[in-house]
Amino acid sequence: MPQSKSSTLAPAQTLPVYKSTDFLVIDGANLDDPLSFAAELLLDDVYELGKSIEPVRLALHAVSEIKFTVAEGTEIGAVGSALHLDSALTFMSPDGQITDALILVEGDDEGDINEIYLLPLSPLAAHTSYSLVGINTKTPAHTFAQVACVSFSRGTHITLASGEQRRIEELNVGDRVLTRDDGPQKVQWIGQNTVRAVGEFAPICIKAGTLNNDNDLIVSPDHRLFIYQRSDELGAGRAELLVKVRYLLNDDTVFTKAGGYVDYFQLLFDSHQIIYAEGIAAESMLIDKRTKPVLPAHIAKDMGDVIPGHSDRPHAGLDVQEGLLNRPDAAAILRRASAR
């Protein structure tokens, strides 16, 4: 597949957020005030989510590690407006449970604040008090990058260039993995992190057989699968598709596997690749302004700001929008289309 000659935006990321007025101080120095940015927050203030309030999805494109713009397809915010990643917060509920969250600030052309958004990294419950116990303005980009990374779970079988199926936790830097477009490619870096399997970190399971896979495939929610349609049953107008796993959820053959902890692994190659995980064609780690902060400092420095094969991607433009997949039989349609 020919590689694009010009840089293209990574696909928009959509995240569940609350407006500042959805999360009010019910006890503390800022009593009755809505959530604000870090400079105005006070530790030990107690917050509560408003009654019957559900999160909405904010779509964004990255400009830098902490600067974004509101993207098309958003449910909230003005498209094109600037977003600033302000801080990472830590809350504690009365039962001792910790909830981490990020603060995003939307501004206008004059530098005024349009809205402040709370991005919880685990679900918030109504009628529950949350004490603010931590404010981090130094490394929120690293936390955000972990959310943005596409990851495979422990135990996932990756196809090597030799045809061997090896568990991802047994791979080593330098191992040659089979890629769809560039044949055998060496693994350049393997990332690993363990997180609570809740909220945006809860993995999604694709049951064996759903997409002609022999075993269950468990990946991060925004992981994209490569589908080659032999017949365009989805109506996308093209044969080659990139599909976010979260768009295939049907609570049956594709479902969220929440609870406990999940070990996530990221595979980095010299360029963004389509590899094979449990027999399903799936993307490797894409390095862009959102995800770069998770890399070790020496690797990030060596890669520079414009990364060939990541900034100019051969798979740009293949993403399928949620509207075409908003049906319970989407996975079954893709299985039929790819098998014919």
Side-chain angles (χ1 to χ4, degrees), residues 29-175:
N30 290 322
L31 183 64
D32 295 330
D33 285 352
L35 185 71
S36 189
F37 50 88
E40 294 187 348
L41 298 176
L42 292 174
L43 293 175
D44 298 324
D45 275 356
V46 181
Y47 291 79
E48 188 174 273
L49 184 66
K51 183 180 179 181
S52 301
I53 292 177
E54 297 294 332
V56 292
R57 297 200 76 87
L58 174 68
L60 52 81
H61 281 303
V63 177
S64 72
E65 294 177 359
I66 60 172
K67 294 181 180 179
F68 309 86
T69 58
V70 180
E72 296 282 351
T74 192
E75 295 179 351
I76 195 170
V79 174
S81 292
L83 287 167
H84 174 75
L85 180 58
D86 175 75
S87 54
L89 306 181
T90 303
F91 296 93
M92 180 180 290
S93 55
D95 61 359
Q97 289 292 317
I98 293 296
T99 298
D100 294 313
L102 294 169
I103 294 292
L104 289 157
V105 179
E106 179 186 354
D108 59 23
D109 292 339
E110 284 71 44
D112 295 325
I113 294 176
N114 285 341
E115 185 56 88
I116 296 172
Y117 302 109
L118 176 72
L119 166 60
L121 301 184
S122 56
L124 295 175
H127 309 298
T128 300
S129 57
Y130 293 93
S131 298
L132 181 61
V133 296
I135 304 171
N136 175 8
T137 59
K138 296 186 182 299
T139 59
H142 186 272
T143 302
F144 184 86
Q146 288 184 321
V147 178
C149 280
V150 296
S151 306
F152 300 96
S153 66
R154 178 179 293 276
T156 301
H157 291 91
I158 303 296
T159 303
L160 301 187
S162 64
E164 176 190 349
Q165 303 292 306
R166 186 178 297 175
R167 294 180 185 274
I168 194 167
E169 65 269 22
E170 297 172 359
L171 288 177
N172 297 297
V173 170
D175 283 343

Side-chain angles (χ1 to χ4, degrees), residues 11-16 57-60 119 144-152 199-206 218-226 242-249 256 264 272 282-286 290-291 319-320 322:
Q13 185 174 6
T14 64
L15 300 164
R57 297 200 76 87
L58 174 68
L60 52 81
L119 166 60
F144 184 86
Q146 288 184 321
V147 178
C149 280
V150 296
S151 306
F152 300 96
E200 287 301 289
F201 287 120
I204 291 176
C205 177
I206 303 169
I218 303 173
V219 293
S220 54
D222 278 328
H223 213 125
R224 293 178 299 172
L225 309 179
F226 179 90
L242 281 177
V243 179
K244 284 187 179 181
V245 173
R246 71 162 72 247
Y247 294 163
L248 299 178
L249 284 168
T256 300
Y264 275 140
H272 184 235
E283 68 175 325
S284 66
M285 185 177 182
L286 171 65
R290 301 169 303 163
T291 58
D319 289 272
V320 178
E322 184 176 8

Side-chain angles (χ1 to χ4, degrees), residues 235-299:
R238 59 184 184 276
E240 297 182 338
L241 311 174
L242 281 177
V243 179
K244 284 187 179 181
V245 173
R246 71 162 72 247
Y247 294 163
L248 299 178
L249 284 168
N250 57 24
D251 294 326
D252 180 19
T253 60
V254 184
F255 58 92
T256 300
K257 193 175 175 66
Y261 290 83
V262 58
D263 292 332
Y264 275 140
F265 293 80
Q266 302 86 37
L267 294 182
L268 177 67
F269 298 88
D270 282 336
S271 58
H272 184 235
Q273 296 290 348
I274 301 299
I275 62 175
Y276 297 91
E278 302 298 357
I280 296 179
E283 68 175 325
S284 66
M285 185 177 182
L286 171 65
I287 298 299
D288 60 16
K289 295 179 178 68
R290 301 169 303 163
T291 58
K292 195 174 179 182
V294 303
L295 296 176
H298 68 284
I299 294 179

Side-chain angles (χ1 to χ4, degrees), residues 185-246:
Q185 292 293 309
K186 290 183 179 180
V187 176
Q188 299 297 328
W189 177 75
I190 302 173
Q192 179 183 354
N193 60 310
T194 301
V195 297
R196 290 175 61 204
V198 293
E200 287 301 289
F201 287 120
I204 291 176
C205 177
I206 303 169
K207 290 180 65 174
T210 301
L211 291 174
N212 304 306
N213 46 311
D214 291 332
N215 302 308
D216 291 355
L217 174 63
I218 303 173
V219 293
S220 54
D222 278 328
H223 213 125
R224 293 178 299 172
L225 309 179
F226 179 90
I227 306 292
Y228 181 84
Q229 297 187 106
R230 299 181 186 277
S231 60
D232 187 13
E233 293 199 19
L234 196 62
R238 59 184 184 276
E240 297 182 338
L241 311 174
L242 281 177
V243 179
K244 284 187 179 181
V245 173
R246 71 162 72 247

